Amino acid sequence: MKGKQNTKDIILQTATRLFQRQGYNGTGLNQIIEESGAPKGSIYYHFPNGKEEIAIEAISMMRKLVLEGAEKDLSGKSSAAEAFEYYLDNVAAIFDARECIDGLSIGLIASETAFTHERLRYSCEMVFKDFQTLYAGILMQYGFKRESAEEIGITIAAMIEGACILSITYQNGSPIRRIAKQLSLLLTMNQE
Amino acid sequence: MKGKQNTKDIILQTATRLFQRQGYNGTGLNQIIEESGAPKGSIYYHFPNGKEEIAIEAISMMRKLVLEGAEKDLSGKSSAAEAFEYYLDNVAAIFDARECIDGLSIGLIASETAFTHERLRYSCEMVFKDFQTLYAGILMQYGFKRESAEEIGITIAAMIEGACILSITYQNGSPIRRIAKQLSLLLTMNQE
DNA sequence: GTCTATAGTGCGATAGAC
DNA sequence: GTCTATCGCACTATAGAC
């Protein structure tokens, strides 16, 4: 029963896409309803706490998508440098190919809500920490020491987040490809 | 006559601060008027094209502040690594000390408006390119070759932008300090 | 240059029928 | 679970007095 799409999931998927493109403040509940084609009256049935609840679940969905994708791309390569090169090449392709950036970059929501919606800020903080942990874990798999891996994990998270913003602004994936090269270099040298 | 603050400047300074904290969509004209204490009727006199015009000038103000600060911090050091360490240490201090992040990070406005307000997106793209150019120029001053400097310039821009998002989300400057260390390493190795 | 008043729209949220 | 109607509010923007 995996293909089954209930109303709640449809709302959530549309909301996730819109939040990433337009941000939390730029996306209205009306627009979510219209574009999802979901029944208009159902939104407060599925999300009793309104917009903020939708956003929290949307963040959780982005987290799941990114972590799964990253974990898959980063595994089974012959070095950390090669793993992240492969991963970032896939990320760059997303920015080139689609206007849709499903599952990428929660930086927009994070910076919008950091000063104004504590619960959303906290959700984003947890996701960023998950990213760092994932990257650090991958690095340790490729032989990095824990301390070094954690230090570089946060650097990778920052680089990728920043490169996504540049790519969104430039409307193509080239910034991601450029940082991929430098990251590869950084990983190669830290390995020694 | 430098200390003279006219109404237009007051509006612009308040708008710049609010846009950085809450984003373009999260900041209303009413709030700008209230917090600036500027005369309520004057906003469409000084900015006939409304909110978008204020934002464009605010972006231009952020650009000026960041470029001036960065140029000052990055000059006259004995190596590129040392220059960026000094610069990023100052940036990190801003996130630690103040709740106000004047002149930093246009990434929020950039990602909010990339799909929806073409003129704002374009303004942000130009600022990012200025950052890259500045960083590349600094690197060349410290002996990097042009091609390499441009490649690393975009990487630095991405790292800093991403680290600012993490710092805003975590509500302290530690992510910036962490990437500073890795950047320093990257610069040292590229130099050879 | 400044101020008031208000038009016109869209928002998030609620109540209640079905 | 769904739908309609509507409340109250905030927003951008404009018109016109001073």
Side-chain angles (χ1 to χ4, degrees), chain A residues 23-43:
Chain A
Y24 181 75
N25 294 314
T27 304
L29 295 185
N30 293 342
Q31 193 187 8
I32 295 173
I33 289 304
E34 276 164 30
E35 298 207 9
S36 68
K40 213 168 188 175
S42 63
I43 203 162

Side-chain angles (χ1 to χ4, degrees), chain A residues 11 29 40-51:
Chain A
I11 292 174
L29 295 185
K40 213 168 188 175
S42 63
I43 203 162
Y44 278 94
Y45 173 78
H46 293 294
F47 304 93
N49 293 325
K51 192 179 181 180

Side-chain angles (χ1 to χ4, degrees), chain A residues 57-100:
Chain A
E57 295 209 27
I59 291 169
S60 158
M61 176 176 264
M62 299 178 208
R63 173 190 170 280
K64 193 164 165 279
L65 285 173
V66 178
L67 287 181
E68 278 174 4
E71 212 151 7
K72 207 178 116 216
D73 285 349
L74 290 167
S75 300
K77 305 293 181 298
S78 65
S79 73
E82 193 193 317
F84 279 96
E85 271 179 56
Y86 179 78
Y87 171 51
L88 287 178
D89 206 54
N90 283 347
V91 174
I94 293 173
F95 282 97
D96 284 334
R98 311 188 227 164
E99 62 165 16
C100 161

